[in-house]
Amino acid sequence: MPSAERAAVAERPGGGWLFAPGVVVRKLLLALMLSLAVLLTLAAGELPAPTVTAAPDAGALADEGPPAAPDDEDGEDELEALEALEAAAVDPSPSVASDVALFGPVGQLPPGSLLRDRLDLALDHAGWSSQELPFELGRVGDVSTFDVSLVRDRYDIPVEMHPLVAQYVRFFQGPGRRWFRRWMSRSHRYIPLMQPILESKGLPRDTVYLAMIESGFNTQAKSWARAVGPWQFIAGTAKMFKLKEDFWVDERRDPVKATHAAADYLSLLHSTLGHWYLAWAGYNTGGGRVRMLIERSGSRDFWELSELKRGFAKETKHYVPKLIACALVARHPEAFGFSLDEFEPEGPFEFDEVPLTDPVDLEVLAVSAGTTVEALRELNPELKRWCTPPASAAAPYVLRIPKGRRATFDEAFARAAPQERLHFKIHRVAKGDTLSKIALRYRSAQEAILRMDGLSSARALKLGLDLMVPVPSAAALAAGSSDVALERQVARARRSGLSAARPQDEIPAGTQAGSGKAMASGTVTVETVGGKTRVTYGVARGDSLWTIARRFDVRVSELKAWNESLGGGRLRVGVGLVVWPGPKADLASSGAPPAPSPMAVAAAPKASASLPTPPRASPAPAVAKGARHTVSAGDSLWSIARAYGATVPQLKAWNRLASSRLKAGQVLVVSAP
């Protein structure tokens, strides 16, 4: 807390803070101004009118990349969504948000007010649970004045109340409640597994809550910094603590191996830095950074180090308070407003282990264990392929199967193993490679390669990608017969919807859009419409929306807006696309115009009639006073202003717009009335 504010604060015995009324009023006004500023900032950001697109067609010749996984399922999206919400709800100045929570004026704002909505989000007013609580504390009312000494002896990590701790408690109660419920549900699966490991390494058992704030106990969690797994190891630190990451496995995702590594790392940090708060901060920012600040300031107090100029980053300043808040609420959820029926506890992480001396298909292993592939993957999250890694009798791979299934597995696997043994080669994709060429070279099958490597399409391969290529056994090759294991791979792949691509539809590696060398090579017809240049482009084999957009100096979203046939991102050879080219477009003709197709005939007149505004058309045409423009999908104030020779502030003034949000079908005045 800044020194100027300390004079207005009296520290209470329970660890809470009591603010003088004048300071409260000043800070309350500041908080309201900050909230309003955030709203104005969001409103000022220009957002294009929404574009509704259909799901991509697997057989299309254009592909802008795999669809993003849903936020609720993908580890990376889960972390990003929570971090974005946390950044909006937790104020970097702890005392401000604490005071707002104590004296929040939400009720004084009119219903439906954007400012009220934002404050409602940040300051949750949910009622407390009426259930009987398991200890004498009762329900915690004002978090900021909560006497933490009542529960301090229940923890083996240091816990104290600080304004930022109070903020994070409120965050978990309010905006972050959905995520905290999920964390608590997972905790029942992983805390009983992790705590004995931490204790065996000499760490406090409650250190487990560090994994809770790092990943929410999500083994698939991945951060923007490429930290992976429940303890969020980056590659360099993982290697230092002997976590293997290779073609076959990523042990950062394994809850057992990663917990051992995290315990070793935290133990080292604690022995070096001398306090658990500093060890946790070092886990987030690096021990070297913490040591530098200690040497610079002469202090080993985390809270003092957090106030240093050019000290910790905001994330590190919040890291320790967030962990304390997480431990407080997780151990006593009912005291902090949660009811137990909000959680859906996951089953314990229990398993038997079986040694494997050869790589084996996961489906074979699942059938032998009487379970599913998904269950095996959950017990063995380190696996990156559809099979186990190479192994031998001297160095077997130890696979986890559901607890109590060992005897069933041994009997069933003994019958299946001989004909299910996998044989494979590792192939690194080189320039000019296609999946069909690779399959032919190794006497394999495209579908089997797709399945074993987790690929969804055979159209294009990335340069430098390592592929596991299933191959026939030496015995099958010598006998000139088919290989049973390979045939079953193909059958499983087809059942899951994977199919081979025709050689003429494949794009050789190194020439697809991502290589930076490809260029759309279809036919070009140029004409002038209303004083603007318009191109009709004939789609050629191998084209993608990206290469077409790059050739004509436009965006992919603009191509879709100008051509309704591209609603799902699909391209067909011979289709004529309407393009309003940018200033750096390549308009050189590549041949005669394509023969008109039904799609081209349908698309071109519609684009001509509506004349979607090209965002970079130059020079701008003369526009009659009071002219109007109907907003199309993909339009933005910037693109409309450029098309009509106006500015965004002028458009806002002429149309009395408070924000830059547009809706398809909205009519705008585009010149001075």
Side-chain angles (χ1 to χ4, degrees), residues 61-350:
L61 295 182
D63 185 2
E64 294 188 69
D71 287 355
D72 289 353
E73 303 299 332
D74 184 79
E76 186 172 3
D77 286 347
E78 177 175 320
L79 287 184
E80 288 182 355
L82 182 61
E83 287 170 2
L85 185 61
E86 182 181 327
V90 180
D91 194 280
S93 173
S95 57
V96 171
S98 293
D99 290 346
V100 173
L102 284 169
F103 304 92
V106 178
Q108 301 176 20
L109 297 171
S113 161
L114 290 177
L115 184 55
R116 174 169 182 161
D117 289 345
R118 173 163 170 75
L119 289 173
D120 273 333
L121 179 67
L123 312 173
D124 180 64
H125 288 276
W128 298 107
S129 167
S130 60
Q131 296 187 23
E132 192 74 21
L133 297 182
F135 62 103
E136 70 280 6
L137 190 76
R139 290 187 296 274
V140 175
D142 179 357
V143 178
S144 293
T145 59
F146 168 56
D147 186 355
V148 78
S149 65
L150 293 173
V151 294
R152 186 174 286 134
D153 61 352
R154 300 170 186 266
Y155 297 86
D156 57 5
I157 57 174
V159 294
E160 56 187 285
M161 187 54 66
H162 179 274
L164 263 178
V165 175
Q167 278 201 69
Y168 271 104
V169 170
R170 294 190 191 94
F171 175 72
F172 295 142
Q173 292 171 327
R177 195 180 192 97
R178 167 193 175 196
W179 306 101
F180 196 80
R181 287 172 180 153
R182 183 176 302 179
W183 294 358
M184 286 292 290
S185 298
R186 290 194 192 121
S187 71
H188 290 268
R189 182 168 180 78
Y190 292 105
I191 285 182
L193 176 78
M194 293 176 172
Q195 281 187 328
I197 297 174
L198 297 172
E199 192 172 30
S200 71
K201 300 272 187 176
L203 271 72
R205 290 171 64 87
D206 289 328
T207 307
V208 75
Y209 295 110
L210 187 146
M212 194 170 187
I213 66 167
E214 281 282 359
S215 67
F217 297 117
N218 185 353
T219 60
Q220 301 304 312
K222 182 178 180 181
S223 76
W224 63 269
R226 299 185 181 276
V228 170
W231 292 90
Q232 289 290 281
F233 276 97
I234 60 173
T237 311
K239 185 176 181 180
M240 186 187 307
F241 290 93
K242 298 180 173 56
L243 290 176
K244 184 188 297 183
E245 182 194 0
D246 59 20
F247 181 82
W248 301 98
V249 299
D250 186 346
E251 292 182 344
R252 295 177 295 174
R253 299 189 187 281
D254 187 277
V256 176
K257 296 172 184 176
T259 302
H260 279 282
D264 291 338
Y265 186 23
L266 285 162
S267 180
L268 176 64
L269 288 168
H270 182 256
S271 64
T272 303
L273 301 174
H275 193 282
W276 282 117
Y277 287 0
L278 300 180
W280 301 343
Y283 193 93
N284 177 257
T285 193
R289 178 71 176 169
V290 180
R291 283 193 296 272
M292 183 196 72
L293 294 179
I294 291 173
E295 292 170 2
R296 196 178 94 194
S297 67
S299 172
R300 289 184 179 269
D301 184 290
F302 170 79
W303 307 112
E304 289 185 17
L305 295 179
S306 294
E307 294 185 1
L308 292 177
K309 291 184 177 180
R310 299 185 302 278
F312 290 136
K314 175 184 173 182
E315 179 184 354
T316 307
K317 292 178 183 179
H318 285 215
Y319 194 78
V320 170
K322 185 178 180 181
L323 198 158
I324 296 171
C326 184
L328 285 171
V329 181
R331 289 282 298 274
H332 305 115
E334 289 181 290
F336 291 96
F338 288 86
S339 61
L340 297 184
D341 58 9
E342 289 185 66
F343 311 126
E344 299 178 3
E346 296 184 7
F349 194 89
E350 297 178 336

Side-chain angles (χ1 to χ4, degrees), residues 262-580:
D264 291 338
Y265 186 23
L266 285 162
S267 180
L268 176 64
L269 288 168
H270 182 256
S271 64
T272 303
L273 301 174
H275 193 282
W276 282 117
Y277 287 0
L278 300 180
W280 301 343
Y283 193 93
N284 177 257
T285 193
R289 178 71 176 169
V290 180
R291 283 193 296 272
M292 183 196 72
L293 294 179
I294 291 173
E295 292 170 2
R296 196 178 94 194
S297 67
S299 172
R300 289 184 179 269
D301 184 290
F302 170 79
W303 307 112
E304 289 185 17
L305 295 179
S306 294
E307 294 185 1
L308 292 177
K309 291 184 177 180
R310 299 185 302 278
F312 290 136
K314 175 184 173 182
E315 179 184 354
T316 307
K317 292 178 183 179
H318 285 215
Y319 194 78
V320 170
K322 185 178 180 181
L323 198 158
I324 296 171
C326 184
L328 285 171
V329 181
R331 289 282 298 274
H332 305 115
E334 289 181 290
F336 291 96
F338 288 86
S339 61
L340 297 184
D341 58 9
E342 289 185 66
F343 311 126
E344 299 178 3
E346 296 184 7
F349 194 89
E350 297 178 336
F351 51 85
D352 288 337
E353 295 181 332
V354 294
L356 301 173
T357 57
D358 294 290
V360 183
D361 187 299
L362 292 185
E363 191 166 331
V364 175
L365 296 169
V367 171
S368 299
T371 186
T372 63
V373 172
E374 290 71 25
L376 281 188
R377 283 196 172 280
E378 190 171 347
L379 288 173
N380 302 273
E382 68 176 30
L383 292 175
K384 295 167 68 175
R385 307 288 159 182
W386 274 86
C387 66
T388 55
S392 64
Y397 178 77
V398 179
L399 179 80
R400 300 184 188 123
I401 62 174
K403 192 172 182 62
R405 303 286 177 87
R406 177 65 188 268
T408 302
F409 176 87
D410 288 343
E411 181 180 350
F413 186 66
R415 294 194 303 267
Q419 65 268 28
E420 292 290 354
R421 187 168 300 167
L422 288 174
H423 302 271
F424 58 88
K425 300 284 186 181
I426 303 300
H427 177 86
R428 177 159 293 181
V429 175
K431 186 175 181 179
D433 277 351
T434 63
L435 204 62
S436 61
K437 288 181 181 178
I438 295 171
L440 184 63
R441 174 180 173 181
Y442 292 102
R443 302 188 185 185
S444 184
Q446 291 187 56
E447 298 96 324
I449 301 173
L450 289 171
R451 179 177 182 271
M452 294 307 294
D453 291 276
L455 301 175
S456 60
S457 170
R459 264 191 73 247
L461 297 175
K462 184 179 179 181
L463 278 176
L465 177 67
D466 285 326
L467 292 178
M468 178 185 177
V469 183
V471 298
S473 65
L477 290 174
S481 61
S482 59
D483 186 90
V484 174
L486 183 56
E487 286 184 345
R488 292 185 178 180
Q489 286 290 326
V490 174
R492 290 171 187 140
R494 289 175 177 169
R495 284 202 303 271
S496 64
L498 296 173
S499 59
R502 298 177 301 173
Q504 61 268 31
D505 289 340
E506 294 180 285
I507 301 175
T511 60
Q512 67 264 34
S515 70
K517 299 179 181 179
M519 179 60 75
S521 57
T523 58
V524 176
T525 302
V526 182
E527 58 186 321
T528 301
V529 178
K532 306 172 189 177
T533 300
R534 185 179 76 176
V535 167
T536 301
Y537 175 76
V539 177
R541 191 172 303 283
D543 280 351
S544 71
L545 291 179
W546 188 88
T547 57
I548 297 172
R550 189 177 63 165
R551 174 171 180 176
F552 295 107
D553 192 26
V554 297
R555 301 185 183 94
V556 170
S557 60
E558 293 167 348
L559 288 177
K560 291 182 177 180
W562 298 330
N563 298 273
E564 291 188 1
S565 63
L566 298 179
R570 289 180 281 182
L571 280 179
R572 300 294 183 204
V573 174
V575 169
L577 298 182
V578 171
V579 184
W580 301 90

